[in-house]
Amino acid sequence: AKKIKCCYFYGTVGNDFMTVIVHCLEKQFRLSLKFHDKISKFDIRKSNLKLEFVLYKEINKMWPSEGEHSSQSKTVTTKSNLEYFQVTCIENTAVSHDSRLISFELLGDFYAVPPLGSHVYVYNKDTDSLVDKKPYTVFDVVDSRKFKLLVKEYQGGILSSYICSLKPGDTVKMQGFDHFIDMNVLLKHNNLVILAAGTGITPFYRILKEISTNEAFKEHTCNLMFYNKTKYDILIQEKLEQLNSKASVEITHVLSRETTEKWSGMIGRINSSHLDKFSNKSMFLTCGPTLFVREAATLLKKKGVNSENIIEFVG
């Protein structure tokens, strides 16, 4: 059976050591290595097939080996390994009347290309407690030092207001990365259907990019049903339209409170008629407010879709 190696990693790389978590397929393992000698620079080369760590020697001489692995190095685990790290805000842009796209850069020796569908915990700077951390899905990754979050500011939401008010240069404590999706699960299904509401689009943007650019998915079809209140609530519409131009991705906007005559698209909340055109054998992915995700699951099960063909993103 055809498989793809979606490789991702995160961890610390110093001038004489590295301790990183590597994700590949459905597994993850720790790589903990004391270099044979010091390095001057570190780089990462990522493709759909492999992940390469490139070390630049401080002194140009032959090494007998890459160095010495710790006793925990190369150990495989299926559990998420969460790491604490600091980031600085480098850009904060409004993408709707209540949501912002915020870019962060990792500080110190921490590097990351987070797994698809993963999220980070953002700590409230005033309390720095477990109670006041909240998971946010990684919206996009620029390189091994920069990533973006798409955050909706809720009235009375202490943490969302804090994040949305960040200015370039502000530092934030985070912990990650938790949860991920194995793209090989999606690869088994020729028809993929994404049901997203509001900021529930967040985990799917990177997945849609992967589907639209990865040759392994060239025979697949992917339908995104994107639910919002009005046309002014549609997030990252321009980015989505760029993906919509790809042959394998079709995007349909559905508005629940749009009353203007200029809107000619679908109207209403998610219901069984929206799902009729999709095969029960499709793979369905859902994300959004809790009630939306529950209603989607109920409708899909009534339609006859097996539970293993429904992936719910939470957190």
Side-chain angles (χ1 to χ4, degrees), residues 2-32:
K2 180 168 59 173
K3 278 196 171 186
I4 54 175
K5 290 183 180 179
C6 288
C7 299
Y8 305 94
F9 87 103
Y10 55 89
T12 304
V13 182
N15 69 343
D16 62 354
F17 76 98
M18 69 186 305
T19 302
V20 298
I21 303 299
V22 178
H23 288 250
C24 189
L25 300 178
E26 75 282 0
K27 296 180 180 179
Q28 54 187 338
F29 65 94
R30 180 180 296 274
L31 183 61
S32 183

Side-chain angles (χ1 to χ4, degrees), residues 86-230:
Q86 294 277 341
V87 298
T88 184
C89 172
I90 56 177
E91 188 175 6
N92 188 337
T93 306
V95 291
S96 77
H97 63 93
D98 61 2
S99 299
R100 305 189 73 86
L101 186 61
I102 308 167
S103 299
F104 296 96
E105 183 170 10
L106 295 159
L107 297 176
D109 295 329
F110 201 84
Y111 295 78
V113 178
L116 290 171
S118 65
H119 59 240
V120 297
Y121 292 95
V122 180
Y123 279 76
N124 185 330
K125 69 173 182 177
D126 296 324
T127 60
D128 194 31
S129 67
L130 294 177
V131 177
D132 292 291
K133 68 175 185 177
K134 185 184 186 308
Y136 287 91
T137 307
V138 176
F139 171 73
D140 201 9
V141 174
V142 179
D143 55 35
S144 61
R145 295 288 280 179
K146 301 182 184 72
F147 65 91
K148 300 179 182 182
L149 298 181
L150 180 60
V151 180
K152 179 177 180 178
E153 183 173 6
Y154 291 93
Q155 187 174 5
I158 297 175
L159 194 52
S160 66
S161 296
Y162 160 58
I163 298 171
C164 289
S165 67
L166 290 172
K167 299 179 178 60
D170 289 345
T171 59
V172 183
K173 179 182 178 182
M174 294 186 180
Q175 186 185 29
F177 292 85
D178 205 2
H179 299 296
F180 65 95
I181 185 168
D182 179 7
M183 293 298 286
N184 288 287
V185 174
L186 306 187
L187 193 61
K188 297 176 183 177
H189 301 268
N190 289 330
N191 302 305
L192 308 172
V193 181
I194 295 175
L195 306 173
T199 51
I201 191 63
T202 304
F204 300 131
Y205 180 64
R206 289 179 70 202
I207 292 173
L208 285 168
K209 286 207 303 183
E210 185 74 28
I211 291 171
S212 65
T213 57
N214 194 317
E215 282 293 311
F217 288 93
K218 65 180 180 180
E219 302 298 329
H220 289 59
T221 61
C222 181
N223 293 87
L224 166 63
M225 302 285 290
F226 192 17
Y227 293 81
N228 287 282
K229 294 176 182 177
T230 73

Side-chain angles (χ1 to χ4, degrees), residues 6-8 44-48 50-52 113 210:
C6 288
C7 299
Y8 305 94
I44 184 74
R45 294 174 186 166
K46 182 183 180 300
S47 70
N48 292 325
K50 61 183 178 181
L51 192 68
E52 287 185 315
V113 178
E210 185 74 28

Side-chain angles (χ1 to χ4, degrees), residues 284-303:
F284 293 85
L285 300 91
T286 69
C287 187
T290 302
L291 292 178
F292 173 86
V293 174
R294 288 178 181 171
E295 181 64 16
T298 299
L299 292 170
L300 290 172
K301 289 172 183 176
K302 284 183 179 179
K303 176 178 167 64

